[in-house]
Amino acid sequence: MTLDIEKIRKDFPILERETRPGVRVTYLDSTATSQKPVQVIEAMNDYYRRSNANIHRGVHTLAEEATSMYESAREKIAKFINASSSREVIYTRNTTESINLIAYSWGRANLKTGDLVILTEMEHHSNLVPWHMLQAERGIELEFIPVTEDGLLDLETYKTLLDRRPKLVSFTHMSNVLGTINPAAEIIRMGHEVGAVVLVDGAQSVPHLKVDMQTLDADFYAFSAHKMCGPTGIGALYGKTVLLESMPPFLGGGDMIKEVKLRSFRPNTLPHKFEAGTPAIAEAVGFGAAVDYLSTVGMERIAAHEHEVTEYALDRLEEIPGVKLFGPSADKKGGVAAFTLEGVHPHDVAQILDQDGIAVRAGHHCAQPLHEKFGIPATSRASFYLYNTKEEVDLLVSGIYKVKEMFG
Ligand code: C6P
């Protein structure tokens, strides 16, 4: 089951980078964005060197090659999440755009004043603000599944909220702050029982866990390539065919149409109906290469490795006097360790760690309401991926002791 970590680290050239002379980077910020293996970098490079052309438009060799690379990446992504067809995978810019697509297209077609949307207190801003905007426009109601002290969703309250017959339930599969892996299949099943449509923010789950659309039965599922070894600028929205077919287009323009007259248009079939304009073609190729890479390493093995590193990290961090960790125990979470250090601002922690090449993120991590809930403005956050090691955790721990010394 174990990963050949030395071999894996060789795939990521940036991990050799020195951020200061003699100081090699210790990258503990994959929750913000992951590093990219050479297989992804080269796939995109090769595309630009050999095959660059616009897609779905030309009959020449390069155009056909580019189209086939773009579409075969979609097939790989569909297979990776076990969608029943690649038509159910829409390319977007990222998770944020995927959720906004649902709010604009499905939301505006299906939600009216007084309709209830259930979210959770641990959502990233990208699964809050689109609904705030729709609330201002449509007068929908928002309710939130509370987060317990130990960082879990309070499913008893969820049950009570379901009595109010929500139209939509939208929640994160894995929290980017607490690391909590939510019982997605159960939340989805409970939502379906009262007739709600269920959208899942998979930004943090798809990169780290094996997700299966057939088992989960989500109606919509959103994720980003850049958090799963792929490039920035591209993400995906999975949607069940029947729902996607029923939705109006999101953006209008080239490629999303079947026919245009001066005063009307007919939308294209899925998935193109939701992909207006020239898309991120090289990025799609990189996305496909990232999925190939993760599949070759094996998602179960990645999850097991991350679990081992995270468990070790939580144990070691807990031993440091003044460190307070947020979120549940390692068996209920992914590779995220958000913490505060008594008497030191999280930004100062991150800045001092950076002097030793240790990259962690500090701030509210685009989850301000969650931080408010815990009564803090910010946390420092270390996060782990397939290329991280226990030795890097040790460097983090030594770094935190150094911060403590500096702040007396
Ligand atoms: N979280 C973090 O440092 P985009 O930016 O669209 O690719 O992903 C948005 C997003 C949505 N949901 C969750 C759970 C997320 O973690 C993120 C991105 C990064 O935590 C950047 S703020």
Side-chain angles (χ1 to χ4, degrees), residues 98-135:
S98 298
I99 297 173
N100 275 276
L101 192 161
I102 297 303
Y104 275 88
S105 173
W106 183 87
R108 279 163 179 77
N110 290 283
L111 298 177
K112 55 182 189 325
T113 306
D115 282 347
L116 178 62
V117 171
I118 297 182
L119 308 169
T120 87
E121 287 179 345
M122 65 167 76
E123 294 314 307
H124 186 277
H125 297 167
S126 62
N127 195 26
L128 290 170
V129 183
W131 309 111
H132 296 159
M133 289 161 71
L134 200 59
Q135 183 175 44

Side-chain angles (χ1 to χ4, degrees), residues 47-48 55 70 91-93 232-234 277-286:
Y47 165 78
Y48 275 128
I55 55 159
Y70 179 81
Y91 284 126
T92 60
R93 277 192 307 146
T232 53
I234 191 158
T278 301
I281 306 166
E283 286 75 6
V285 173

Side-chain angles (χ1 to χ4, degrees), residues 64-343:
E64 285 192 347
E65 219 167 274
T67 302
S68 139
M69 290 167 88
Y70 179 81
E71 289 304 334
S72 87
R74 194 195 307 274
E75 300 274 349
K76 291 175 187 179
I77 297 159
K79 195 163 160 232
F80 188 67
I81 60 167
N82 198 21
S84 44
S85 150
S86 64
R87 297 168 69 237
E88 295 183 322
V89 174
I90 315 290
Y91 284 126
T92 60
R93 277 192 307 146
N94 44 38
T95 305
T96 304
E97 190 175 282
S98 298
I99 297 173
N100 275 276
L101 192 161
I102 297 303
Y104 275 88
S105 173
W106 183 87
R108 279 163 179 77
N110 290 283
L111 298 177
K112 55 182 189 325
T113 306
D115 282 347
L116 178 62
V117 171
I118 297 182
L119 308 169
T120 87
E121 287 179 345
M122 65 167 76
E123 294 314 307
H124 186 277
H125 297 167
S126 62
N127 195 26
L128 290 170
V129 183
W131 309 111
H132 296 159
M133 289 161 71
L134 200 59
Q135 183 175 44
E137 189 186 309
R138 285 289 163 96
I140 58 168
E141 287 190 29
L142 303 179
E143 287 293 351
F144 302 88
I145 308 176
V147 173
T148 63
E149 257 317 293
D150 47 359
L152 302 174
L153 287 181
D154 170 2
L155 294 187
E156 282 309 310
T157 305
Y158 177 44
K159 243 186 238 166
T160 323
L161 289 172
L162 289 175
D163 290 341
R164 291 174 50 195
R165 303 262 152 188
K167 287 276 169 60
L168 178 76
V169 176
S170 185
F171 70 97
T172 187
H173 197 158
M174 176 172 146
S175 163
N176 65 322
V177 179
L178 306 170
T180 317
I181 298 170
N182 290 315
E186 188 183 349
I187 297 173
I188 293 164
R189 180 186 49 74
M190 288 164 76
H192 284 166
E193 273 169 14
V194 299
V197 164
V198 187
L199 161 62
V200 182
D201 171 351
Q204 298 299 347
S205 47
V206 180
H208 303 280
L209 310 169
K210 190 163 178 47
V211 299
D212 183 322
M213 291 308 114
Q214 305 313 311
T215 325
L216 280 177
D217 197 29
D219 298 300
F220 299 114
Y221 202 98
F223 52 107
S224 301
H226 71 95
K227 294 188 197 290
M228 48 191 288
C229 297
T232 53
I234 191 158
L237 171 69
Y238 159 84
K240 285 183 181 163
T241 303
V242 56
L243 285 166
L244 292 174
E245 294 276 20
S246 73
M247 284 159 51
F250 173 40
L251 300 173
D255 222 29
M256 53 69 70
I257 47 84
K258 245 206 158 51
E259 184 188 43
V260 180
K261 307 241 185 216
L262 263 186
R263 294 185 188 280
S264 64
F265 77 98
R266 275 197 305 127
N268 208 337
T269 49
L270 289 177
H272 314 295
K273 178 167 95 172
F274 293 106
E275 293 175 10
T278 301
I281 306 166
E283 286 75 6
V285 173
F287 198 171
V291 159
D292 280 344
Y293 183 79
L294 292 174
S295 305
T296 304
V297 178
M299 289 309 290
E300 276 101 350
R301 294 200 313 156
I302 291 172
H305 171 76
E306 282 175 24
H307 179 72
E308 206 180 305
V309 174
T310 307
E311 200 166 38
Y312 179 70
L314 297 183
D315 283 349
R316 292 241 37 213
L317 289 168
E318 224 161 38
E319 286 168 9
I320 306 175
V323 164
K324 180 171 191 246
L325 283 161
F326 293 85
S329 52
D331 56 321
K332 296 192 183 71
K333 71 191 264 166
V336 185
F339 62 94
T340 51
L341 179 61
E342 201 181 343

Side-chain angles (χ1 to χ4, degrees), residues 270 370 403:
L270 289 177
L370 180 65
V403 177

